[in-house]
Amino acid sequence: MFTLKHKNGIWYGTFQHLTDAKIKHGISARLGGVSKVPYATLDLGLHTGDDKAAVRENRGRFFQALELDLTKAATCEQVHADRIAIVTEEDAGKGAEVYEEALQGIDALITNVKDLPLLLFFADCVPILIVDPVHRAIGLSHAGWKGTVAKIGQKTILAMQQHFATKPEDCLVGIAPSIGPCCYEVDDVVAEKVKAAFPYWEDLLTPQGRRWRLNLWKTNQRQLEDIGVNPKNIAVSQVCTSCNKELFFSYRAEQGVTGRIGAVISL
Ligand SMILES: [Zn+2]
């Protein structure tokens, strides 16, 4: 179950099954920050064109609400590919306050280090939060359509398996607010890639005139089930960022000029 809470004017969402596993995490909304239109108000992206001092203030407020240490957070560049970084103590703080210091060419982070928050940014792309409660390891993936088709969520869990002996069947997964099947229209180029990657594509794509509607939530959920993640352990927030642009940033709904929400997870 996904619920929205607020503290000191900062709204954020959490997954009950991750909270039950004693994992600090949260997905920010756009309320309670200092950024101005079109980034109003809690923009967490340092690469959006927004005032960087405002974004640093916003990131500080979000972390304070979650009682996490921003100076220790590790972030990555997010290039819509499928490379994953194993985050160690040395990476603490990379990209937390300076975009150029983020881990380059990377779209997902995994770690087993305590109190080292993993932090990624989104405006419609799918945040995937992963917890291995048995080996105490976590992962966080950025899955737009390219990452989803490249199976970055699946690859993140397989990287956890390789490095931390994670078993997919133990994993708890949260699929956070992002563009929903109600709003996500794609063209034939994207649809063909979905068809090539997933034999059950008819469950993922719905014809919409000469285009298609793509269900990114289900595409990510199913690819995790394909490697043995228990469907009962996957929670989908069912919150569409495009339908809720007053509450979240949506790249599509705002025609590309907008801020970024953040997803953070920490052991
Ligand atoms: Zn929608």
Side-chain angles (χ1 to χ4, degrees):
M1 196 179 66
F2 179 81
T3 46
L4 276 176
K5 318 170 175 185
H6 61 99
K7 190 170 166 188
N8 305 332
I10 302 298
W11 287 77
Y12 60 94
T14 57
F15 290 99
Q16 190 60 47
H17 64 325
L18 304 192
T19 304
D20 291 344
K22 300 197 166 28
I23 300 294
K24 277 194 179 177
H25 69 287
I27 293 88
S28 66
R30 64 184 297 173
L31 311 175
V34 297
S35 291
K36 306 271 194 296
V37 174
Y39 308 104
T41 60
L42 197 82
D43 175 22
L44 301 184
L46 278 171
H47 61 299
T48 57
D50 192 2
D51 173 39
K52 290 184 167 60
V55 171
R56 287 188 196 101
E57 170 66 23
N58 294 337
R59 287 186 179 187
R61 290 183 183 195
F62 176 47
F63 270 64
Q64 199 169 31
L66 292 170
E67 296 175 9
L68 287 168
D69 185 353
L70 175 62
T71 65
K72 287 193 178 161
T75 71
C76 58
E77 190 186 12
Q78 301 183 218
V79 293
H80 296 279
D82 64 349
R83 285 185 58 208
I84 298 151
I86 304 137
V87 174
T88 65
E89 279 98 344
E90 279 175 25
D91 301 312
K94 283 190 181 168
E97 292 179 285
V98 181
Y99 179 67
E100 291 71 22
E101 291 175 3
L103 294 160
Q104 298 295 297
I106 298 290
D107 280 271
L109 304 171
I110 62 172
T111 193
N112 62 354
V113 180
K114 258 194 100 195
D115 299 319
L116 201 171
L118 308 179
L119 173 63
L120 267 63
F121 307 100
F122 303 87
D124 290 341
C125 290
V126 184
I128 307 172
L129 291 76
I130 302 159
V131 175
D132 170 2
V134 177
H135 301 89
R136 301 302 290 176
I138 52 174
L140 180 61
S141 322
H142 164 242
W145 76 261
K146 286 182 186 165
T148 300
V149 168
K151 301 187 184 176
I152 191 162
Q154 195 182 87
K155 287 174 180 170
T156 305
I157 290 182
L158 295 176
M160 290 169 70
Q161 185 171 50
Q162 191 183 344
H163 295 281
F164 308 128
T166 294
K167 291 185 181 139
E169 56 266 38
D170 293 332
C171 285
L172 309 174
V173 177
I175 296 179
S178 37
I179 195 162
C182 39
C183 292
Y184 195 46
E185 267 189 40
V186 298
D187 59 16
D188 279 332
V189 175
V190 175
E192 287 306 319
K193 295 202 157 111
V194 173
K195 290 180 187 178
F198 304 100
Y200 41 80
W201 62 268
E202 283 174 283
D203 297 342
L204 314 174
L205 285 165
T206 311
Q208 173 92 344
R210 302 174 73 175
R211 290 161 67 86
W212 303 83
R213 272 190 289 132
L214 171 59
N215 189 331
L216 286 175
W217 301 338
K218 198 185 270 184
T219 312
N220 282 291
Q221 185 174 1
R222 287 285 295 271
Q223 67 180 259
L224 300 184
E225 292 172 14
D226 289 344
I227 56 164
V229 179
N230 188 335
K232 283 190 292 190
N233 289 344
I234 304 175
V236 181
S237 75
Q238 306 288 350
V239 175
C240 170
T241 44
S242 181
C243 286
N244 295 281
K245 65 188 171 81
E246 287 74 28
L247 198 50
F248 299 100
F249 294 111
S250 171
Y251 191 87
R252 284 250 173 145
E254 307 279 12
Q255 282 88 43
V257 183
T258 190
R260 296 290 181 277
I261 61 169
V264 64
I265 184 166
S266 177
L267 282 169

